[in-house]
Amino acid sequence: MSRFRILSLDGGGVRGIVPAIVLERLSEKLPGWIDEVDLIAGTSTGGLLALCLAHGLEPREIREIYVEKGPRVFDDSWLDNLLDLGKTVGAQFDAKNLVRELRAIFGETTLGELRKRVLVAAFDLDNESADPAERMWKPKLFHNFPGRENDRRELAYKVGVYACAAPTYFASVDGYIDGGVYANNPSMCALAQSQDSRYIKPPPRMKNVVLLSLGTGMSLKYIRGKALDWGYAQWARPIIEIMMDGVSGIADYQCKKILGRNYCRLAPAFPPGTVIPMDAARRIPELVAFAEGLELRRTIRWVEEKWLS
């Protein structure tokens, strides 16, 4: 069987412009390489990238969307801050701006109408099962593979909104929040999907799977102290970032062990002392400069050898 090519895109809010520019630069060096992809997986902003690529947008167009629309999506007024008591209660941003921008991109396009297979991570806060013994919250992976129990009828813009409903940043939407709470790096989810015989017949042999994973830029954070006697108040904010970085790291470890040289991850770190939050729309020019300055020779060589040859 021929190769099964997976592109996996991390979450990270406005930092999604980093992988968008990386994709653009790779396409300049290797025209048409994205056309060969069999599955695009994404979490949060990576989910938006996946949906945009599957919709037929070019990386340069996606880059422009971040530059033009990012400040509108992450627009936080002083009145909103007053109403949510300085971000203590209530989400930081109103999701209506995100909904408007995504609807302008996708219109009424469904997942089934996209040009590529996608896997987009979200989290369902309540499955609303009629059976009390089965009612619970659970991960939700939206996909458009043919077969039973797919999500091909779901509107692409709505799935994008679900994927980006990060806790504390946006309110939940239709009961969904950002899938970054369990798979900020969706590489392992995508690898598992490639082996599901309900949707791929027959599933590709593991030796034929190649996977390119792109991060959104990582801040070199740490917490000093050997015995932190913290409670809810102290752990509330850092635990979210620790959790997202942790699940990203373990997915990287698992894919590396399973796929070996058929796996490549580009997860660039910002310079020491540089922290760029996922809602830092005003720092988009800094993110652009960072992405344009990344060394990509190793990644280009891998795509040539494993993806295209």
Side-chain angles (χ1 to χ4, degrees), residues 41 46 48-49 51-52 64 76 78 84 99 102 107 138 182 185 188 192 222 231 233 257 279 285 292 298 305:
L48 296 187
L49 282 164
L51 292 167
C52 285
E64 292 172 355
D76 194 24
W78 66 268
D84 62 23
V99 172
L102 294 190
K138 61 183 179 66
Y182 69 92
N185 170 358
M188 195 62 194
Y222 54 89
K257 293 298 182 183
D279 60 340
E292 290 181 338
R298 170 182 166 271
E305 294 177 358

Side-chain angles (χ1 to χ4, degrees), residues 185-243:
N185 170 358
S187 296
M188 195 62 194
C189 296
L191 183 57
Q193 182 78 9
S194 77
Q195 300 303 298
D196 193 334
S197 60
R198 294 175 301 171
Y199 305 113
I200 305 175
K201 302 180 185 296
R205 301 175 97 180
M206 202 63 74
K207 68 178 183 179
N208 293 325
V209 177
V210 293
L211 197 161
L212 176 61
S213 175
L214 300 180
T216 61
M218 178 175 60
S219 299
L220 300 174
K221 291 186 176 181
Y222 54 89
I223 299 176
R224 295 184 180 183
K226 302 296 184 182
L228 300 173
D229 187 18
W230 286 3
Y232 289 124
Q234 295 99 327
W235 278 114
R237 193 63 172 180
I239 199 65
I240 295 176
E241 297 181 32
I242 289 171
M243 178 176 59

Side-chain angles (χ1 to χ4, degrees), residues 120-199:
V120 179
F123 192 88
D124 187 356
L125 295 175
D126 181 2
N127 65 9
E128 298 182 332
S129 173
D131 184 350
E134 295 183 0
R135 187 170 184 175
M136 61 183 294
W137 58 28
K138 61 183 179 66
K140 169 63 180 175
L141 290 162
F142 289 91
H143 71 84
N144 59 355
F145 282 85
R148 299 179 61 184
E149 299 180 1
N150 63 45
D151 305 291
R152 292 172 60 84
R153 294 184 179 180
E154 294 285 345
L155 293 172
Y157 88 85
K158 282 195 172 184
V159 173
V161 174
Y162 301 157
C164 290
T168 75
Y169 290 95
F170 294 104
S172 62
V173 180
D174 294 342
Y176 292 103
I177 60 172
D178 190 327
V181 298
Y182 69 92
N184 202 49
N185 170 358
S187 296
M188 195 62 194
C189 296
L191 183 57
Q193 182 78 9
S194 77
Q195 300 303 298
D196 193 334
S197 60
R198 294 175 301 171
Y199 305 113

Side-chain angles (χ1 to χ4, degrees), residues 5-163:
R5 300 166 178 87
I6 300 173
L7 175 62
S8 176
L9 303 159
D10 283 16
V14 75
R15 297 197 307 268
I17 196 171
V18 173
I21 292 174
V22 168
L23 292 170
E24 179 186 359
R25 291 179 60 194
L26 290 176
S27 295
E28 289 172 354
K29 292 291 185 180
L30 305 167
W33 75 276
I34 295 179
D35 296 337
E36 304 297 322
V37 71
D38 295 291
L39 172 61
I40 311 174
T43 298
S44 190
T45 195
L48 296 187
L49 282 164
L51 292 167
C52 285
L53 290 170
H55 192 46
L57 274 69
E58 297 294 331
R60 171 162 284 281
E61 296 177 284
I62 301 173
R63 167 184 177 159
E64 292 172 355
I65 289 171
Y66 276 90
V67 171
E68 296 176 7
K69 311 299 185 183
R72 299 180 192 175
V73 171
F74 293 104
D75 180 25
D76 194 24
S77 68
W78 66 268
L79 178 58
D80 181 62
N81 281 337
L82 179 63
L83 292 175
D84 62 23
L85 302 181
K87 307 172 187 176
T88 302
V89 295
Q92 188 171 349
F93 303 104
D94 192 328
K96 68 180 181 182
N97 294 333
L98 177 62
V99 172
R100 181 173 61 249
E101 300 300 343
L102 294 190
R103 192 160 193 174
I105 295 170
F106 297 105
E108 298 302 303
T109 300
T110 65
L111 293 190
E113 294 170 329
L114 296 176
R115 302 179 186 181
K116 294 288 185 181
R117 298 284 179 252
V118 295
L119 186 75
V120 179
F123 192 88
D124 187 356
L125 295 175
D126 181 2
N127 65 9
E128 298 182 332
S129 173
D131 184 350
E134 295 183 0
R135 187 170 184 175
M136 61 183 294
W137 58 28
K138 61 183 179 66
K140 169 63 180 175
L141 290 162
F142 289 91
H143 71 84
N144 59 355
F145 282 85
R148 299 179 61 184
E149 299 180 1
N150 63 45
D151 305 291
R152 292 172 60 84
R153 294 184 179 180
E154 294 285 345
L155 293 172
Y157 88 85
K158 282 195 172 184
V159 173
V161 174
Y162 301 157

